[in-house]
């Protein structure tokens, strides 16, 4: 028997709403995009004429037909809006960072249970092409037992940006919460909670109020060391994934093109969506039977952010577990909030 569509509203139509949410809700056959909040310029209704363009978040919360609300507002509003949406009887998709602290994250999960609703942490970068390529190498055992992984997310933004919630000294601001949360989530999805951590962060741009550089070392049982680095002052980006193991090494640059495709107007149901160019392969280096090092190209896996929304639908309609667990979010926030 066909299951009803998940009627969805989005709290903002900035870049995240326009690029990472609306196109997927619009093209997934089991979702209906009903409304988006636009306080000023009504761009969403021009892109999606069938929707309602609300002027305030209260109007969205009060819409009785909406079952799921995507909270994609500034970081310091995440907890407040998520609680309000849950208490309005809605399921919630909450962008990263999920909350400033583990205590606030636990509160959100508790409210969701009290309301009989689900709250879904939005970690689409588990479905980046480059990360999927790393996973394929690990799953195949191509490098043997992993010993060391360097994972990076870098940009070059030497000037203070216009988005105050990212640049002001307030909860959940700075590059570690902004970009580092993606990397921590990816690592936790592979190996779980580390046994030990070493953390460094700093502010190097002129007049910066927040960290624009951070490095975290996670040490795991069995000897694996994972170095997580993110910076806003990298003019010539290094490889994003450098993996060394007992049998070889794998190197992959950050090449996922889904974001660029979406910005350019390609919709997720396009046959070429998420497919990397042939020159974006990773490099696997292992010794041959004579001990000589041989390198070969590893084709990039297809990126697919639609998997996030499929998992949300499966959780709401079919009771399946969501791909990001509450436990993983608690571990992530413990790491983020304890960085000195």
């Amino acid at each position: 028997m066909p299951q009803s569509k998940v009627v969805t509203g989005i709290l903002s139509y900035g870049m995240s709403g326009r690029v990472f949410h609306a196109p997927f809700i619009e093209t997934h056959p089991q979702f209906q995009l009903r409304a988006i909040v636009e306080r000023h310029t009504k761009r969403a209704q021009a892109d999606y004429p069938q929707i309602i363009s609300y002027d305030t978040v209260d109007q969205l919360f009060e819409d009785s037909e909406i079952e799921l609300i995507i909270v994609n507002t500034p970081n310091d509003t995440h907890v407040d809006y998520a609680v309000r949406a849950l208490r309005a009887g809605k399921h919630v998709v909450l962008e990263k960072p999920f909350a400033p602290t583990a205590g606030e994250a636990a509160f959100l999960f508790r409210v969701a249970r009290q309301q009989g609703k689900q709250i879904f942490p939005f970690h689409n970068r588990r479905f980046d092409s480059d990360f999927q390529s790393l996973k394929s190498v690990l799953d195949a055992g191509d490098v043997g037992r992993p010993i060391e992984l360097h994972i990076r997310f870098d940009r070059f933004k030497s000037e203070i940006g216009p988005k105050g919630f990212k640049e002001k000294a307030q909860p959940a601001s700075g590059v570690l919460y902004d970009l580092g949360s993606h990397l921590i989530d990816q690592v936790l999805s592979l190996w779980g909670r580390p046994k030990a951590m070493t953390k460094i962060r700093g502010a190097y741009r002129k007049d910066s109020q927040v960290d624009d550089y951070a490095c975290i070392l996670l040490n795991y049982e069995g000897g694996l060391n994972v170095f997580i680095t993110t910076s806003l002052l990298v003019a010539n980006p290094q490889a994003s994934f450098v993996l060394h193991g007992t049998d070889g090494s794998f190197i992959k640059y950050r090449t996922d093109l889904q974001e660029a495709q979406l910005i350019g107007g390609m919709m997720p149901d396009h046959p070429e969506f998420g497919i990397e160019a042939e020159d974006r392969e990773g490099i696997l280096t292992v010794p041959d039977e004579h001990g000589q090092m041989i390198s070969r190209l590893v084709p990039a896996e297809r990126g697919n952010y639609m998997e996030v929304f499929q998992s949300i639908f499966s959780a709401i309609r079919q009771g399946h577990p969501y791909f990001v667990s509450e436990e993983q979010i608690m571990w992530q926030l413990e790491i983020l909030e304890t960085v000195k």
Side-chain angles (χ1 to χ4, degrees), residues 95-267:
E95 283 200 339
K96 58 82 193 170
F98 189 79
T101 67
E104 288 166 295
F107 172 68
L108 288 177
F109 286 116
R110 187 163 62 250
V111 172
R113 284 190 288 269
Q114 291 170 349
Q115 297 298 316
K117 299 299 175 182
Q118 298 188 65
I119 186 166
F120 303 104
F122 186 72
H123 273 300
N124 60 330
R125 292 196 179 275
R126 288 200 195 183
F127 302 100
D128 276 352
S129 169
D130 38 38
F131 180 65
Q132 289 296 313
S133 297
L134 172 72
K135 282 189 64 180
S136 71
V137 169
L138 287 167
D139 291 344
D142 289 334
V143 301
R145 180 168 62 88
I147 296 172
E148 180 181 48
L149 172 66
H150 292 262
I151 177 170
R152 304 184 64 98
F153 201 150
D154 296 321
R155 291 175 175 160
F156 188 78
K157 294 185 176 181
S158 59
E159 302 296 327
I160 305 302
K163 294 183 178 180
F165 70 91
K166 290 186 177 182
E167 297 284 12
K168 292 181 180 178
Q170 59 190 26
S173 62
V175 73
L176 186 61
Y177 273 88
D178 186 35
L179 301 181
S181 58
H182 287 306
L183 307 184
I184 295 170
D185 174 71
Q186 289 176 336
V187 173
L188 294 179
S189 76
L190 293 173
W191 293 295
R193 190 177 193 174
K195 72 173 184 178
M197 297 180 290
T198 302
K199 297 144 287 188
I200 301 169
R201 67 177 179 179
Y204 297 95
R205 297 170 302 162
K206 185 177 184 297
D207 299 324
S208 180
Q209 299 180 32
V210 300
D211 58 279
D212 47 39
Y213 169 85
C215 181
I216 303 174
L217 168 59
L218 304 180
N219 177 253
Y220 284 87
E221 296 290 346
L224 172 65
N225 293 298
V226 180
F227 296 82
I228 296 172
T229 305
T230 183
S231 174
L232 296 181
L233 290 173
V234 177
N236 186 4
Q238 304 173 43
S240 297
F241 302 96
V242 178
L243 173 67
H244 303 298
T246 54
D247 294 341
S249 297
F250 175 70
I251 296 176
K252 183 76 171 71
Y253 279 80
R254 187 169 301 282
T255 56
D256 189 274
L257 81 168
Q258 292 177 89
E259 181 175 337
Q261 289 176 328
L262 291 161
I263 291 173
M266 183 182 288
M267 295 297 277

Side-chain angles (χ1 to χ4, degrees), residues 122-124 127 305-312 322-323:
F122 186 72
H123 273 300
N124 60 330
F127 302 100
Y305 293 160
M306 188 63 86
E307 289 291 336
V308 178
F309 298 89
Q310 182 58 42
S311 184
I312 292 168
Y322 185 57
F323 72 94

